[in-house]
Amino acid sequence: QLDDLYLIALVHRRDLTSLRDLTAEHLPLLRNILQEGQEAVTKHFSVPASQLRIYLHYQPSYYHLHVHFTALSYDAPGCSVERAHLLADVIDNLAMDSRYYQKRALTFPLRADELLFKKFQEAGRA
């Protein structure tokens, strides 16, 4: 059913693990994912690009670069503003500054039971 459409595009390159790895060098790849992904969703599911939320997570749930395509009507896990970074915004940010995601402080939520949160506690940073 299209109300909870949730698709993922996986990048073939294994050296790209998260948003932090991206630079302007990757703009052709990202633009291709955006364009081809929108076209594929429209062709196969008849959902127009204007009805899609296309984003990357930071921190990702697994470290192999992937892009989420969800229906706007679906409140997908992790689609909220503090975790999801819209692909169109990522493209714009990298076009302005090639190393944007190496320089930028990125806020993200952590649950109390997550290992990363425990590491922050051990380091006295939470």
Side-chain angles (χ1 to χ4, degrees), residues 6 13 18 21 28 30 33 39 49 51 61 80 107-108 115:
Y6 193 122
R13 291 181 55 170
S18 81
D21 296 326
L30 298 172
I33 291 169
E39 289 175 7
Q51 295 302 306
S61 53
S80 57
T107 303
F108 55 90
L115 180 59

Side-chain angles (χ1 to χ4, degrees), residues 14-125:
R14 301 295 282 178
D15 61 320
L16 298 175
T17 60
S18 81
L19 194 57
R20 291 285 191 198
D21 296 326
L22 297 173
T23 66
E25 166 195 341
H26 305 108
L27 285 170
L29 170 69
L30 298 172
R31 288 178 177 135
N32 185 61
I33 291 169
L34 181 62
Q35 180 180 343
E36 296 292 326
Q38 289 173 331
E39 289 175 7
V41 172
T42 299
K43 178 180 177 185
H44 294 289
F45 300 100
S46 300
V47 176
S50 63
Q51 295 302 306
L52 292 174
R53 182 182 296 115
I54 305 166
Y55 58 95
L56 297 90
H57 282 146
Y58 189 78
Q59 293 277 338
S61 53
Y62 53 93
Y63 289 87
H64 180 141
L65 191 68
H66 57 285
V67 178
H68 301 261
F69 288 75
T70 64
L72 281 178
S73 58
Y74 180 43
D75 188 24
C79 74
S80 57
V81 70
E82 66 273 359
R83 184 147 183 238
H85 297 263
L86 296 175
L87 181 55
D89 291 345
V90 170
I91 290 169
D92 286 347
N93 291 336
L94 291 172
M96 285 188 306
D97 181 348
S98 179
R99 299 190 47 79
Y100 182 89
Y101 291 101
Q102 284 80 45
K103 299 175 185 178
R104 177 81 163 86
L106 298 172
T107 303
F108 55 90
L110 288 172
R111 291 186 315 270
D113 63 345
E114 288 187 63
L115 180 59
L116 185 56
F117 182 71
K118 293 180 189 327
K119 295 285 185 188
F120 277 119
Q121 283 180 316
E122 290 168 6
R125 301 194 65 187

